Amino acid sequence: MSCDPGAEPARLARPGGGWVAYRASPGVGPGVVFLGGFTSDMEGTKALALEGHCRARGAPFLRFDYRGHGRSSGRFEEGTIGEWAGDAVAVIDEGTAGPLVLVGSSMGGWIMTLVALARPERVRGLVGVASAPDFTEELLLPRLGEAGRRALAETGEVEVPNPYGEVPTRLRAAFFADAARHRVLPGPLPIACPARLLHGLADREVPWGQSVRLAEALGGETTVTLIKGGDHRLSEPPHLARIFGAVDELRGLVAEASPAGLGWPADTGGCP
């Protein structure tokens, strides 16, 4: 069985109203979940390429949109790191089964650590792609400058440049306050699963040192791969091949340590 890519994604209702849109493909063996970045959605290059890779190998796969992103409900400027992490945990509980390898891109690298902390019995491997843990205080706030921080304090919101579009991104003071409550650095983090962190040396959005710091915080066996010439997206074919290789490696390690016959049945959900 395979999902019809033209069908509407499944919806998971969330407490207080709204829904998370997701697509889950059944398969055999440890599952893979893609967690997108800040303002991105599940139709991005890496998400679709990884889905194709997993389908070709018969591996279960799930991609989704946080609320305020893509096909999910809600307004982006009303979202928070805590809510988006909650969306991730909820859709994983609803749309997957068995042990998982999480692939977190940019902000998704932060979200994947929060999911691993919330579901340690499920998360057995982490693949970070240009991981941006704690990017709100580590990167955004310093880049606001004095005028931006003053505007945030006086009006409760501020606009920041969007590197992938002309329209700036509006952020609220509540967003930064919530993010501070979910910081994961400097650790240590009680996450014992293996991790593979990839980062481009030419990343202008998130310094590669963020992946190194995350590696230092994680409790499991971790490697960091720095890619010469790689930008923040890491979506070119050679970069995608590295991501696929890391996912395959961790799925293999998980399968060796897990009972046979694992996978997601056809009725797991998200495959209309």
Side-chain angles (χ1 to χ4, degrees):
M1 177 182 176
S2 62
C3 292
D4 175 4
E8 287 295 310
R11 292 181 176 183
L12 174 64
R14 298 291 286 130
W19 69 85
V20 173
Y22 70 100
R23 296 187 185 277
S25 304
V28 177
V32 179
V33 177
F34 183 80
L35 301 103
F38 190 61
T39 75
S40 68
D41 59 51
M42 63 174 168
E43 305 297 331
T45 300
K46 289 189 291 292
L48 296 180
L50 186 56
E51 180 180 62
H53 177 80
C54 289
R55 284 184 178 178
R57 283 157 175 71
F61 179 82
L62 181 141
R63 56 188 169 98
F64 70 99
D65 287 329
Y66 314 107
R67 277 176 292 172
H69 292 68
R71 306 287 289 276
S72 292
S73 68
R75 299 174 60 191
F76 172 81
E77 59 267 28
E78 295 177 351
T80 64
I81 296 296
E83 290 178 356
W84 296 335
D87 290 342
V89 171
V91 78
I92 283 171
D93 287 347
E94 172 73 14
T96 74
L100 301 172
V101 172
L102 305 184
V103 182
S105 176
S106 192
M107 181 186 76
W110 184 359
I111 299 294
M112 77 177 181
T113 65
L114 297 175
V115 175
L117 291 169
R119 294 291 183 270
E121 72 285 358
R122 298 285 314 282
V123 178
R124 305 291 181 81
L126 302 175
V127 177
V129 183
S131 298
D134 298 2
F135 75 93
T136 48
E137 295 199 29
E138 300 273 343
L139 303 175
L140 278 184
L141 282 176
R143 292 173 182 174
L144 290 180
E146 182 178 348
R149 289 191 290 271
R150 182 169 59 251
L152 184 64
E154 294 176 354
T155 69
E157 61 182 32
V158 67
E159 289 187 341
V160 299
N162 182 348
Y164 305 120
E166 296 181 359
V167 179
T169 300
R170 180 174 297 178
L171 299 174
R172 297 181 175 181
F175 171 79
F176 289 97
D178 173 86
R181 293 192 290 269
H182 291 90
R183 295 192 67 175
V184 295
L185 297 179
L189 299 172
I191 299 175
C193 65
R196 302 291 179 262
L197 307 180
L198 292 75
H199 215 119
L201 287 174
D203 190 336
R204 296 182 178 181
E205 310 305 325
V206 180
W208 54 263
Q210 290 300 104
S211 283
V212 174
R213 294 184 65 205
L214 179 58
E216 293 173 336
L218 293 171
E221 183 267 322
T222 303
T223 62
V224 178
T225 299
L226 300 179
I227 303 172
K228 186 175 182 178
D231 61 7
H232 185 61
R233 291 175 182 261
L234 290 182
S235 58
E236 296 299 319
H239 307 149
L240 295 174
R242 288 180 179 269
I243 297 170
F244 299 161
V247 170
D248 290 346
E249 178 198 0
L250 292 187
R251 287 191 72 244
L253 293 176
V254 175
E256 290 177 1
S258 302
L262 292 173
W264 304 349
D267 62 354
T268 296
C271 191

